[in-house]
Amino acid sequence: MGHACYRIFLKTVPYIMNKPEVIGKEGLNRLIQILTGMGYQVIGPTVRDEAIVYDSVHSIEDLPAGWTDEQEGGTYRLKKRSDEALFGYTLGPHSWKQFLHPPERRLWQAQKDSLGFDIVPEKLNNIKYAFLGVRSCELHAIAIQDKVFIQSPHTDLHYQSLRQNALFVAVNCGQAGNTCFCVSMQTGPKVEMGYDLVLTEILDDECHTFLISAGSDAGKTILKAVEAKPAGENEVKRAEEIIANTANQMGRTMATENIKELLYENVEHPAWEKIAGRCLSCANCTMVCPTCFCSTVEDVTDITGDHAERWQKWDSCFTMDFSSIHGGAVRNSTQSRYRQWMTHKLASWQDQFDTSGCVGCGRCITWCPVGIDLTREVAVIRESQPDQAGKLSGSGGQNENS
Amino acid sequence: MANSSKPKVAVWKFASCDGCQLSLLDCEDELLAITQEIKIANFPEASRAVIKGPYDLSLVEGSITTPHDMTRIQEIRRLSKVLITIGACATSGGIQALRNFKDINEFISIVYASPEFISTLDKSTPISTHVKVDFELRGCPINKMQLVEVISAFLSNRKPNTPEHSTCVECKRKGTVCVMVGKGTMCLGPVTHAGCDALCPTYNRGCYGCFGPKENPNTDSLAKWLISNGKTSDEMVRAFRSFNAGSDAFCKESQVNEEKD
């Protein structure tokens, strides 16, 4: 199975399970101030344009207090909660990849001189990000991008620099969204790897606290400065209940058993053509996906022709240009593009990176303008298999209990 | 570059509002650099001085709507080494292609006091219907930075970077929250050619499709989704029948919805 990599990752990165402690809202605010004081640019959830997006956060006042989201295939709406939860939403349209793997980046410049031209390389960005509110599925997505950009023969030095400087303050999900399926992908909802600090928000009666524990030496040092109180047994138990409750709320499920073989054996399945009837090949799913990493390079010259620049920009396997080689595009039809994306994400990704490319965040479902649901599409193919009929019926697609 | 070796560039106007060719004059910061590299040989909006052809590059704005223009474009093509159309009119017939869906004689009889003086065609057509076009720059109006890019690419003998993918890609790269998914706003972004840097969604409006259809546009799926979410067929007709009403994909989609209505 593709999730073997996570086990390897866990082995190589020892997470010292520290005794959980407790902070209040003021403690969380102190944490933000401490991180800012340490030279981190704190990025966390905030409300903008009727959505929860990741942006600069200066105090807890910037966090989306009392907001949650309702999601379905092709729709996302912010809703008011009955409490003042700061992390009471599921996931917004953005992922952390926009910071670690920016949508547009200049790679180098060239200036013409009398002898030829001078290459001016781009300096590494040494900004220190502290990401606040990172969910378990998102940490898994970052671990996958690490494999692509760092643990590969062609290390992306810019990504590596940003990644190594970054600090992760994770949050255990207090609720699951309608398009969530991290349980199926074994990527959540409990934060178990890749974090420096982890929070669980506890809202009971008059009490609004956060269970906090460190997952790294850096996290330990910061936690000391936050001056948290030791957690009581009740708080630890409550936090476990919250996470278990979230795990039971998944809006979607995906049967991952033999998924690689299933997709490889069905490259000519009629489902692809049907999906192509709905798919807009607009590329939204790939742009919102926290693991999709494809980019294109564009060379530009100025009007004089003396100055040239090479830019890297997010690209998508849903565009015609993406597969254009000498003689034209290899994947002209939407059918071939959707098949490429889903088969890569769920099957050939396993061959390439020893992991699934999907973390079950559900963004591709929510942010597809016409609500195409990959869990449903996998289920359609699975249910059509002669030996699978009946055996796995009910798996995949929307959870009937939600 | 010596004056004599500068490429001669001509700007031509057909049925249009002049907005696209004025984009050239809008290139304030780059305008001086542009005029250093090219020789403006014919550009009535900028200068009365006209240099005779042939021309290295012709920028053509506007659609073909009269018999006279049908002959004029042939002559321009003959005089131009490279012919690039600029804007929705030249590329898909423009807003005036709305005439294509009605009887032109009725318009003439209603609008003009002396219809007998009017000599016009029953359809507004893009330049490519009449002559070979080397490159089409989309937009109503065109994006001036894309125009600078196209001229720079022409001067460097390279392909211009004007991707044919959806406007959604621009929204996502900018971090704009999808107005369609996030608010239920009608948006043509998923079927519209990029180039405007997702101007309208950035200001909380749906995309109006000013840059025309993207490559591989699935207008059928988008229209069906919008209708299943409360829009009407009539709204679809209006959405697809604007600046790029004459483009194949938008024209077809508007007709399908008109029949349903």
Side-chain angles (χ1 to χ4, degrees):
Chain A
M1 281 302 291
H3 304 294
C5 84
Y6 296 138
R7 289 195 284 276
I8 294 161
F9 195 85
L10 280 166
K11 267 184 212 162
T12 52
V13 186
Y15 281 95
I16 319 110
M17 285 307 288
N18 293 291
K19 272 210 160 141
E21 301 184 48
V22 168
I23 54 172
K25 271 168 46 174
E26 65 297 334
L28 183 63
N29 205 35
R30 215 158 43 237
L31 173 62
I32 296 171
Q33 307 314 323
I34 289 166
L35 294 171
T36 308
M38 289 170 75
Y40 284 106
Q41 186 179 333
V42 184
I43 308 287
T46 194
V47 174
R48 194 190 77 208
D49 296 332
E50 298 176 43
I52 289 164
V53 300
Y54 297 144
D55 210 338
S56 286
V57 164
H58 305 285
S59 78
I60 58 164
E61 297 301 313
D62 294 326
L63 301 177
W67 287 104
T68 190
D69 47 63
E70 279 179 8
Q71 304 193 32
E72 246 317 321
T75 50
Y76 172 100
R77 294 290 182 276
L78 269 195
K79 298 277 176 196
K80 263 288 174 195
R81 291 173 62 97
S82 57
D83 57 29
E84 286 298 298
L86 298 176
F87 300 101
Y89 58 92
T90 53
L91 289 170
H94 296 161
S95 71
W96 305 99
K97 106 175 157 180
Q98 65 179 320
F99 300 100
L100 295 171
H101 173 48
E104 295 187 359
R105 184 160 65 82
R106 188 167 58 202
L107 298 176
W108 48 260
Q109 304 175 63
Q111 190 63 40
K112 204 179 201 173
D113 59 26
S114 53
L115 296 168
F117 56 88
D118 253 351
I119 299 275
V120 186
E122 206 63 18
K123 285 196 183 112
L124 289 185
N125 190 341
N126 52 16
I127 191 166
K128 283 166 65 183
Y129 286 121
F131 298 128
L132 171 67
V134 187
R135 306 308 175 96
S136 180
C137 63
E138 298 184 305
L139 289 168
H140 281 267
I142 292 163
I144 291 170
Q145 289 217 324
D146 286 352
K147 279 178 165 272
V148 177
F149 292 127
I150 301 176
Q151 297 150 33
S152 82
H154 313 285
T155 301
D156 182 327
L157 298 175
H158 292 265
Y159 177 89
Q160 190 180 35
S161 166
L162 288 165
R163 177 70 180 84
Q164 284 172 349
N165 286 336
L167 189 106
F168 295 85
V169 183
V171 170
N172 282 311
C173 288
Q175 68 180 56
N178 272 336
T179 54
C180 287
F181 56 104
C182 66
V183 167
S184 301
M185 303 316 291
Q186 300 170 41
T187 58
K190 188 176 182 183
V191 173
E192 289 178 317
M193 50 141 264
Y195 65 95
D196 294 288
L197 287 166
V198 60
L199 302 165
T200 311
E201 185 169 33
I202 305 174
L203 279 142
D204 284 324
D205 302 324
E206 300 292 294
C207 146
H208 190 175
T209 53
F210 302 88
L211 197 75
I212 183 168
S213 48
S216 70
D217 288 340
K220 257 179 161 175
T221 313
I222 294 162
L223 187 52
K224 260 186 202 154
V226 177
E227 293 173 2
K229 290 179 195 156
E233 252 179 55
N234 274 355
E235 283 147 334
V236 176
K237 205 179 134 207
R238 187 74 192 100
E240 289 302 325
E241 277 171 16
I242 290 168
I243 299 165
N245 190 36
T246 304
N248 287 326
Q249 284 177 354
M250 294 289 129
R252 297 286 198 278
T253 55
M254 175 132 78
T256 56
E257 191 191 327
N258 297 330
I259 196 164
K260 188 172 92 175
E261 293 72 20
L262 177 76
L263 294 175
Y264 282 172
E265 283 160 16
N266 285 286
V267 286
E268 300 296 342
H269 198 279
W272 303 119
E273 198 184 335
K274 279 192 177 161
I275 301 167
R278 288 180 291 138
C279 176
L280 305 171
S281 64
C282 61
N284 276 302
C285 48
T286 54
M287 299 276 140
V288 296
C289 176
T291 70
C292 273
F293 56 84
C294 286
S295 53
T296 182
V297 282
E298 269 182 21
D299 291 338
V300 292
T301 49
D302 71 353
I303 201 97
T304 64
D306 294 341
H307 182 82
E309 296 185 353
R310 173 165 288 182
W311 283 76
Q312 177 181 289
K313 297 179 174 184
W314 282 0
D315 200 4
S316 169
C317 48
F318 280 91
T319 71
M320 183 85 86
D321 266 356
F322 185 86
S323 71
S324 286
I325 53 170
H326 174 74
V330 175
R331 288 187 283 270
N332 275 295
S333 70
T334 300
Q335 179 178 339
S336 62
R337 295 183 212 172
Y338 190 90
R339 183 179 63 187
Q340 160 64 24
W341 176 68
M342 196 162 97
T343 308
H344 185 213
K345 185 89 1 198
L346 300 170
S348 54
W349 205 293
Q350 296 187 31
D351 293 333
Q352 196 178 3
F353 300 111
D354 196 24
T355 169
S356 171
C358 175
V359 294
C361 73
R363 284 188 181 89
C364 60
I365 306 172
T366 299
W367 297 95
C368 171
V370 292
I372 296 173
D373 180 344
L374 91 164
T375 66
R376 186 68 221 138
E377 302 309 336
V378 168
V380 165
I381 294 174
R382 195 181 283 283
E383 283 158 14
S384 72
Q385 303 306 295
D387 58 326
Q388 300 279 349
K391 204 166 94 184
L392 284 160
S393 63
S395 60
Q398 196 164 357
N399 191 331
E400 286 172 6
N401 300 323
S402 68
Chain B
M1 208 181 272
N3 202 39
S4 55
S5 63
K6 279 189 197 176
K8 275 161 75 180
V9 176
V11 182
W12 309 98
K13 176 189 158 64
F14 289 84
S16 60
C17 76
D18 281 33
C20 290
Q21 50 173 311
L22 287 174
S23 298
L24 194 55
L25 296 178
D26 272 346
C27 296
E28 292 148 352
D29 293 341
E30 298 80 12
L31 192 56
L32 212 57
I34 293 171
T35 53
Q36 295 282 315
E37 302 298 326
I38 61 173
K39 191 176 187 65
I40 301 277
N42 179 26
F43 187 13
E45 285 278 15
S47 167
R48 274 179 298 174
V50 174
I51 302 167
K52 277 171 81 176
Y55 306 101
D56 295 292
L57 170 64
S58 276
L59 297 173
V60 179
E61 177 199 82
S63 67
I64 304 298
T65 54
T66 65
H68 170 245
D69 282 350
M70 277 177 76
T71 20
R72 194 159 63 96
I73 190 63
Q74 297 296 338
E75 179 64 7
I76 289 167
R77 176 69 265 191
R78 206 179 56 77
L79 291 172
S80 311
K81 278 189 198 159
V82 174
L83 189 153
I84 294 175
T85 60
I86 54 170
C89 299
T91 305
S92 71
I95 191 77
Q96 58 274 21
L98 288 176
R99 73 163 65 173
N100 302 4
F101 303 94
K102 303 282 177 191
D103 181 355
I104 192 68
N105 294 318
E106 282 187 36
F107 285 134
I108 294 170
S109 66
I110 294 165
V111 175
Y112 299 98
S114 309
E116 63 275 19
F117 295 119
I118 303 299
S119 164
T120 192
L121 300 169
D122 62 352
K123 284 198 168 34
S124 168
T125 45
I127 302 300
S128 61
T129 306
H130 305 269
V131 295
K132 178 180 170 284
V133 173
D134 297 297
F135 183 79
E136 292 182 322
L137 183 61
R138 304 285 200 91
C140 181
I142 54 167
N143 174 329
K144 69 172 184 179
M145 295 320 293
Q146 281 207 327
L147 179 62
V148 173
E149 166 62 13
V150 166
I151 295 172
S152 301
F154 164 77
L155 291 169
S156 304
N157 229 339
R158 64 172 171 85
K159 185 174 168 274
N161 294 309
T162 53
E164 294 173 30
H165 54 57
S166 71
T167 305
C168 303
V169 174
E170 294 186 318
C171 268
K172 289 292 182 285
R173 284 182 186 159
K174 283 177 95 172
T176 303
V177 177
C178 178
V179 295
M180 192 167 149
V181 172
K183 299 188 184 76
T185 306
M186 185 159 90
C187 180
L188 295 187
V191 295
T192 299
H193 193 293
C196 64
D197 203 22
L199 187 60
C200 293
T202 307
Y203 292 95
N204 280 322
R205 303 298 293 265
C207 168
Y208 292 93
C210 306
F211 278 59
K214 75 174 189 78
E215 46 95 358
N216 215 16
N218 194 345
T219 53
D220 173 64
S221 171
L222 182 67
K224 280 180 180 152
W225 175 268
L226 290 167
I227 289 170
S228 71
N229 281 276
K231 303 288 176 214
T232 63
S233 298
D234 184 52
E235 282 173 296
M236 291 305 111
V237 176
R238 287 168 185 274
F240 286 105
R241 218 167 260 185
S242 65
F243 319 107
N244 288 283
S247 68
D248 285 349
F250 287 5
C251 170
K252 201 176 133 211
E253 194 55 43
S254 74
Q255 284 170 329
V256 167
N257 282 281
E258 194 170 44
E259 283 161 23
K260 277 193 233 164
D261 200 30

